[in-house]
Amino acid sequence: MLDATSSTYTYLIASRRGGEALIIDSVLEKVERYLQLLDELDLKLVKAIDTHVHADHITGLGALRDRTRCITIMGEQSAVDVVSVRVADGDSIDIEGIRLEVMYTPGHTDDSYCFLAGDRVFTGDTMFIRGTGRTDFQNGDARDQYDSIFNKLLKLPDETLVYPGHDYKGDTVSTIGEERAFNPRLQVSSVEEYVEIMDHLNLANPKMMDVAVPANLKIGLSQHEVDAKGWGLSCAEALPLVNLADAVLVDLREGAERVRNGFIPGSVHAPYPELGDNIGPGGLLHELAAATGKRLVFYCAFGERSAMAVQAAQEAGITNCCHINGGTDSWKKSGGPLEGAR
Ligand SMILES: [Fe+2]
């Protein structure tokens, strides 16, 4: 889908009608349109990803999360305040029937990522059709971009389809082979030659930059509402609950996050994407809470998924539940114990 104002391409991806979907680089003004399309195609939005902090439009990430309770995802280098998950090079982002391989491709910004899905790659502002993303702000670096393009993107098979984050001429898709042969910025014989080109583009700053960048850095879920209802625990308040008989800590993160960062001892693993089933009648958490009367203490990586989970669980009738503010990130900084970290 195109946002004509910023010439941004947004990609809604799913493997089947009626299944799970993810969205890449959403635009705030288009959120209603995405929701309508999701509804029309009977899709459940589970993950919303931004390739980097955008300077030319305000992201739809926060609004999509608030409307659909989807997981928000950006790279670990991003200066954004809070997202549900931060990914790194070599990670994968999975939904039903789809796997995105995560490629860290700095250069346009220091938090730029590309995502490979089998025979196609979503290149964000790292590489465009017959162009490349500017490197003159947001810690951009032409040398890094040369490396990202020549040593990562152009190593993909020639027939790989290229879906860029923008196109200012109306082109929609290219291939790696085509870009290697015909992208004018890539017809260079050295990194120095590329840097020379990028250093002399003399572009004006994007019109929206002063508004968009600050807005895009503050998209985290506002947890005041959850806190005001008494459903948020600080790490200090949560620490004594470890191994306490009348509380169950519930880890909402995915398997790979647990392997990388460890988990709170004694916690049960109930990944966020399965939350709906788990808190519904007959579900693991629903039955656990009903059978034992124990308090459910949700946690995740940064507190966003757990804040959404508390709200959903309360709505599903599990009233004895709360969550840990700031997730394992804060937990670790507070000296809380984590087990099984790689
Ligand atoms: Fe950008």
Side-chain angles (χ1 to χ4, degrees):
M1 287 167 286
L2 171 72
D3 171 53
T5 312
S6 60
S7 298
T8 299
Y9 284 133
T10 300
Y11 300 97
L12 179 67
I13 305 167
S15 59
R16 66 175 178 95
R17 184 181 275 266
E20 293 182 348
L22 64 82
I23 196 164
I24 300 176
D25 285 338
S26 56
V27 175
L28 180 61
E29 287 80 3
K30 299 288 172 191
V31 163
E32 292 303 327
R33 167 88 181 99
Y34 310 143
L35 294 173
Q36 183 190 354
L37 189 57
L38 287 162
D39 188 48
E40 287 167 353
L41 300 177
D42 191 23
L43 296 172
K44 178 175 165 47
L45 184 67
V46 292
K47 295 184 176 175
I49 309 164
D50 267 12
T51 52
H52 62 291
V53 171
H54 298 283
D56 59 349
H57 67 270
I58 298 178
T59 177
L61 232 54
L64 284 170
R65 175 205 57 225
D66 292 344
R67 298 287 293 276
T68 70
R69 290 193 176 144
C70 69
I71 293 175
T72 57
I73 303 177
M74 289 190 76
E76 63 179 358
Q77 295 81 2
S78 176
V80 68
D81 58 348
V82 178
V83 281
S84 302
V85 176
R86 287 176 178 270
V87 290
D89 191 61
D91 285 356
S92 67
I93 298 171
D94 295 290
I95 63 165
E96 176 196 359
I98 309 258
R99 164 162 289 188
L100 296 186
E101 291 173 51
V102 175
M103 302 170 73
Y104 178 44
T105 53
H108 169 59
T109 63
D110 61 355
D111 71 336
S112 286
Y113 278 77
C114 296
F115 301 103
L116 178 67
D119 63 351
R120 59 203 66 193
V121 64
F122 300 91
T123 56
D125 294 3
T126 300
M127 188 171 78
F128 298 140
I129 299 173
R130 309 300 191 267
T132 58
R134 62 194 296 177
T135 56
D136 56 336
F137 53 68
Q138 287 182 286
N139 300 320
D141 186 308
R143 280 179 188 277
D144 288 349
Q145 192 177 46
Y146 177 93
D147 184 56
S148 294
I149 293 173
F150 281 85
N151 296 321
K152 287 186 175 169
L153 289 177
L154 296 188
K155 299 288 185 202
L156 296 172
D158 272 0
E159 58 275 19
T160 308
L161 297 167
V162 172
Y163 290 93
H166 295 283
D167 192 274
Y168 303 95
K169 308 171 299 297
D171 293 336
T172 54
V173 61
S174 178
T175 65
I176 289 293
E178 236 183 87
E179 291 313 306
R180 180 188 290 107
F182 304 120
N183 190 320
R185 297 232 180 120
L186 307 186
Q187 311 310 308
V188 292
S189 52
S190 67
V191 59
E192 282 73 25
E193 205 181 319
Y194 185 74
V195 171
E196 184 71 14
I197 292 175
M198 297 308 285
D199 280 353
H200 293 92
L201 295 178
N202 295 320
L203 299 166
N205 279 346
K207 283 195 275 304
M208 284 279 287
M209 186 163 167
D210 294 339
V211 176
V213 172
N216 289 337
L217 290 175
K218 273 186 75 68
I219 61 167
L221 176 73
S222 163
Q223 301 192 8
H224 299 308
E225 211 181 304
V226 172
D227 279 343
K229 290 183 170 151
W231 298 340
L233 296 180
S234 68
C235 291
E237 289 169 321
L239 261 167
L241 300 178
V242 175
N243 295 323
L244 203 68
D246 60 355
V248 182
L249 284 120
V250 181
D251 186 357
L252 298 166
R253 297 170 304 157
E254 296 185 17
E257 298 177 86
R258 283 164 62 84
V259 171
R260 179 176 305 151
N261 298 310
F263 52 89
I264 299 179
S267 56
V268 300
H269 185 209
Y272 183 80
E274 292 149 35
L275 183 73
D277 289 340
N278 283 334
I279 60 176
L284 169 78
L285 298 175
H286 187 99
E287 297 309 311
L288 182 68
T292 65
K294 290 183 180 184
R295 183 185 199 187
L296 300 185
V297 184
F298 293 107
Y299 75 92
C300 59
F302 303 103
E304 190 161 273
R305 278 169 287 184
S306 57
M308 294 192 287
V310 167
Q311 290 169 303
Q314 294 279 349
E315 285 164 17
I318 302 175
T319 52
N320 193 11
C321 68
C322 57
H323 85 117
I324 303 179
N325 286 324
T328 51
D329 184 54
S330 295
W331 181 262
K332 194 174 176 184
K333 288 171 188 158
S334 312
L338 288 169
E339 224 172 71
R342 190 163 61 194

